[in-house]
């Protein structure tokens, strides 16, 4: 009797061991296949613009009032990541990267949660902006952290024109004689310096490129092309051409990058 019980128990134990060995052998064989099929995660969702690809925005409209041009207009928030405007209620979020404010909403700033003169104050944004006297195509190096300024409305009128505030993204031809022929239609015209063009004195304008540290810490370079609706060349820009409709191009590279690349 004891011998039968012992044999039965031994058989059950051997059967359990065999089943266990087969089960774990099968799992061991399948595990590497499952691991290899796991998707690689990234920090870019499918509705965000890809890194290293040039993006173009055409006729992005901001509020303006020619009858009272110096009256402040609501600051406009724009996301480079999502390539669209964001509502003012998004101010204390990382879902926007540049703002348009100041005269004719033509001054550009970044999204920074620490600077008290920023719509992002109190939010997670770590952004800033700077500008260099190089063309979009020439700009390759990422500036140092100290070069980025974090207040709003920092980059606008260039010293080449009236009311210049250092390097700017546009030349404001108040009297129509810096670029224009002095006629009424060429007065009070703003010329984007993303592209070079010939001034009234025969000289070429130097190119300017805006560089942004985004709210999340990536980097972008921006080529401002025009602030007039459907007009991209200096000869067709007139004081009464519909404005402010920004056309610009940009490319984003990941945080930690040391240079801009287009792939």
């Amino acid at each position: 009797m004891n011998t039968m019980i012992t044999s039965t128990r031994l058989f059950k134990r051997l059967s359990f061991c065999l089943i266990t060995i087969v089960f774990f052998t099968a799992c061991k064989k399948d595990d590497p296949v499952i691991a290899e099929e796991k998707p690689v995660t990234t920090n870019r969702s499918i509705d965000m613009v890809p890194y290293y690809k040039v993006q173009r925005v055409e006729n992005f409209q901001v509020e303006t009032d020619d009858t009272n041009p110096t009256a402040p207009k609501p600051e406009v928030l724009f996301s480079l990541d999502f390539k669209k405007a964001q509502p003012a209620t998004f101010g204390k979020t990382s879902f926007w990267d540049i703002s348009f404010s100041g005269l004719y909403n033509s001054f550009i700033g970044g999204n920074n949660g620490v600077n008290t003169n920023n719509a992002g104050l109190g939010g997670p944004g770590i952004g800033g902006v700077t500008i260099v006297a190089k063309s979009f195509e020439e700009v390759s190096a990422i500036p140092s952290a100290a070069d980025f300024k974090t207040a709003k409305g920092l980059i606008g009128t260039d010293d080449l024109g009236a009311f210049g505030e250092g390097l700017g993204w546009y030349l404001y031809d108040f009297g129509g004689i810096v670029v224009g022929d002095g006629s009424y239609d060429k007065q009070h015209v703003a010329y984007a310096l993303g592209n070079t063009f010939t001034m009234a004195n025969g000289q070429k304008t130097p190119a300017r490129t805006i560089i942004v540290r985004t709210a999340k810490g990536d980097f972008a370079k921006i080529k401002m092309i025009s602030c007039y609706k459907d007009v991209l060349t200096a000869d067709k820009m007139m004081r009464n051409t519909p404005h402010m409709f920004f056309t610009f191009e940009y490319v984003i590279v990941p945080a930690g990058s040391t240079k801009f690349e287009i792939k």
Side-chain angles (χ1 to χ4, degrees):
M1 181 73 173
N2 290 338
T3 302
M4 289 179 64
I5 293 173
T6 302
S7 299
T8 301
R9 287 176 177 173
L10 180 61
F11 175 78
K12 287 181 178 180
R13 288 176 181 175
L14 287 172
S15 298
F16 176 79
C17 289
L18 286 171
I19 292 170
T20 303
I21 290 169
V22 170
F23 175 78
F24 281 104
T25 300
C27 290
K28 186 176 181 181
K29 180 180 179 181
D30 291 341
D31 279 348
V33 176
I34 295 173
E36 289 173 358
E37 291 177 350
K38 289 180 179 178
V40 177
T41 59
T42 69
N43 64 347
R44 309 295 285 178
S45 62
I46 59 173
D47 53 347
M48 297 169 74
V49 303
Y51 290 133
Y52 309 115
K53 303 295 183 185
V54 175
Q55 306 297 314
R56 185 178 177 93
V57 176
E58 295 184 347
N59 293 327
F60 174 61
Q61 184 178 11
V62 299
E63 185 179 349
T64 187
D65 180 5
D66 288 336
T67 62
N68 194 9
T70 59
K73 303 298 183 294
E75 187 172 4
V76 178
L77 311 180
F78 188 89
S79 169
L80 298 175
D81 275 336
F82 295 98
K83 200 176 177 180
K84 66 178 183 179
Q86 301 286 32
T89 53
F90 279 32
K92 298 183 188 303
T93 74
S94 62
F95 292 106
W96 63 277
D97 302 296
I98 57 173
S99 66
F100 297 86
S101 62
L103 184 66
Y104 281 90
N105 271 340
S106 64
F107 282 71
I108 295 174
N111 178 354
N112 191 277
V114 177
N115 194 299
T116 56
N117 185 23
N118 193 291
L121 179 63
I126 59 172
V129 294
T130 188
I131 188 168
V132 294
K134 291 184 177 180
S135 70
F136 183 83
E137 293 74 19
E138 291 176 311
V139 172
S140 59
I142 304 291
S144 66
D147 290 329
F148 289 96
K149 309 305 178 186
T150 57
K152 71 176 183 180
L154 290 172
I155 300 174
T157 49
D158 190 270
D159 283 343
L160 283 174
F163 310 113
E165 298 187 14
L167 286 182
W169 71 263
Y170 71 96
L171 181 164
Y172 177 46
D173 196 353
F174 179 86
I177 58 174
V178 180
V179 178
D181 56 10
S183 64
Y184 175 84
D185 286 340
K186 295 301 283 184
Q187 295 172 7
H188 301 288
V189 176
Y191 299 92
L193 297 171
N195 292 321
T196 60
F197 51 87
T198 304
M199 295 186 289
N201 62 8
Q203 296 181 348
K204 289 284 187 180
T205 55
R208 312 285 195 227
T209 299
I210 298 171
I211 301 178
V212 179
R213 184 174 63 222
T214 73
K216 299 180 180 70
D218 292 336
F219 298 101
K221 62 175 180 176
I222 303 176
K223 176 183 183 179
M224 299 299 294
I225 298 170
S226 175
C227 61
Y228 294 98
K229 186 177 182 180
D230 297 325
V231 175
L232 305 179
T233 58
D235 60 310
K236 295 180 180 178
M237 295 174 183
M238 307 293 176
R239 68 184 293 161
N240 291 324
T241 305
H243 52 273
M244 304 291 281
F245 293 82
F246 299 115
T247 293
F248 57 95
E249 294 180 343
Y250 67 96
V251 65
I252 303 177
V253 298
S257 299
T258 58
K259 62 180 180 178
F260 287 104
E261 297 180 274
I262 297 174
K263 301 179 181 180

